[in-house]
């Protein structure tokens, strides 16, 4: 399970990273939900410098990989490496035989030299709707273009229809899959068998607080996941 931190500034971000890592999370994703990408970059540099050994992923809100990968490669050349990029829209078109946009993003990723993991959004919240009968096709296509196929419910904080997740899992086989909305300590067990990674923000945040992790909620979710793993 990977917490998602809605970044405000260096100190708020570091405090939440430390809560997540001290609880035993493998890492976190950082997202610029409240401001554009340009002012996000100095915060990323500051955070990486302060936590050089932490596993840190990034989401540049609404920016696909063709924008993100060269930026991430540039940061890496400066000495600020990040382990993953999560794009809300991986530009998969389940209705097309030729995936022109996804292929172009893949070429840009390769040319950039950035070597992190790519979490690509497919049938994702706030993006172009995908008909449920095309979920399996979208998932199978997506697996060719990214490291972790990532989907969601219909909105932030809204849990995904379990049948959608089961369809994705069946279509993907053993390929990695992430779920990025609506996971809470109360519902996580329903998804554990199908999903390799939960990306969680509102489900573990303090009540009414979009930006800060509630350690008790985080511990409760981790307990569910660990208990499920021990019994599987």
């Amino acid at each position: 399970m990977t917490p998602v931190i809605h970044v405000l500034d260096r100190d708020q971000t570091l405090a939440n990273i430390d809560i997540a890592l001290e609880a035993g999370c493998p890492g976190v994703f950082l997202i610029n939900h409240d401001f554009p990408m340009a002012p996000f970059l100095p915060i990323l540099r500051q955070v990486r410098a302060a936590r050089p050994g932490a596993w840190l992923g990034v989401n540049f809100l609404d920016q696909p990989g063709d924008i993100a990968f060269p930026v991430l490669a540039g940061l890496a050349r400066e000495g600020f490496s990040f382990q993953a990029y999560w794009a809300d829209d991986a530009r998969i078109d389940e209705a097309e035989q030729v995936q022109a946009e996804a292929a172009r993003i893949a070429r840009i990723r390769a040319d950039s030299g950035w070597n992190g993991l790519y979490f690509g959004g497919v049938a994702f919240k706030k993006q172009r709707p995908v008909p449920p009968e095309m979920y399996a096709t979208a998932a199978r296509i997506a697996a060719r273009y990214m490291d972790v196929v990532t989907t969601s419910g219909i909105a932030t904080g809204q849990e995904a229809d379990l049948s959608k997740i089961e369809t994705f899992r069946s279509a993907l086989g053993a390929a990695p899959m992430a779920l990025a909305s609506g996971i809470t300590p109360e519902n996580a067990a329903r998804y554990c068998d199908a999903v390799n990674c939960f990306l969680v923000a509102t489900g573990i945040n303090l009540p009414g607080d979009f930006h800060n992790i509630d350690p008790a909620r985080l511990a409760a979710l981790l307990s569910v996941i660990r208990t499920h793993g021990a019994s599987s």
Side-chain angles (χ1 to χ4, degrees):
M1 192 275 287
T2 308
V4 178
I5 298 170
H6 296 104
V7 168
L8 291 175
D9 55 39
R10 173 189 180 276
D11 290 346
Q12 170 261 350
T13 303
L14 290 174
N16 282 277
I17 289 172
D18 290 345
I19 289 170
L21 298 182
E22 287 167 10
C25 297
V28 302
F29 269 94
L30 310 177
I31 184 169
N32 58 317
H33 201 279
D34 293 84
F35 43 78
M37 185 171 71
F40 190 31
L41 299 181
I43 299 173
L44 290 178
R45 293 184 181 97
Q46 294 165 3
V47 167
R48 173 48 79 200
R51 299 293 182 272
W55 191 101
L56 301 177
V58 177
N59 181 321
F60 297 133
L61 188 66
D62 293 330
Q63 299 298 333
D66 55 344
I67 301 296
F69 295 137
V71 172
L72 291 164
L75 287 170
R77 287 192 293 272
E78 296 175 27
F80 306 106
S81 294
F82 294 88
Q83 282 75 29
Y85 186 67
W86 158 27
D88 288 352
D89 187 355
R91 300 294 202 260
I92 300 300
D93 190 338
E94 68 285 348
E96 297 295 332
Q97 292 292 320
V98 177
Q99 298 295 311
E101 287 195 80
R104 182 176 65 85
I105 289 170
R107 290 193 297 271
I108 290 170
R109 179 189 181 189
D111 291 345
S112 76
W114 182 74
N115 61 2
L117 293 173
Y118 177 23
F119 288 63
V122 182
F124 205 81
K125 59 188 178 182
K126 301 181 182 179
Q127 309 304 316
R128 178 183 60 81
V130 175
E133 64 270 19
M134 296 297 287
Y135 286 159
T137 299
R140 284 192 291 267
I141 293 170
R144 306 202 305 260
Y145 293 97
M146 62 201 68
D147 300 301
V148 185
V149 176
T150 306
T151 194
S152 73
I154 61 173
T156 299
Q158 298 295 308
E159 64 181 83
D161 189 297
L162 184 58
S163 66
K164 175 185 181 180
I165 303 309
E166 290 172 340
T167 297
F168 265 69
R169 171 47 63 208
S170 179
L172 288 170
M177 175 183 172
L179 177 56
S181 77
I183 290 296
T184 69
E186 293 76 27
N187 68 18
R190 296 205 294 272
Y191 299 95
C192 282
D193 286 335
V195 175
N196 302 100
C197 181
F198 294 139
L199 308 182
V200 187
T202 56
I204 56 170
N205 281 356
L206 292 164
D209 187 337
F210 195 61
H211 300 97
N212 294 292
I213 294 171
D214 180 343
R217 294 282 291 170
L218 175 59
L221 179 53
L222 287 170
S223 177
V224 171
I225 294 168
R226 291 164 178 159
T227 299
H228 186 89
S231 63
S232 297

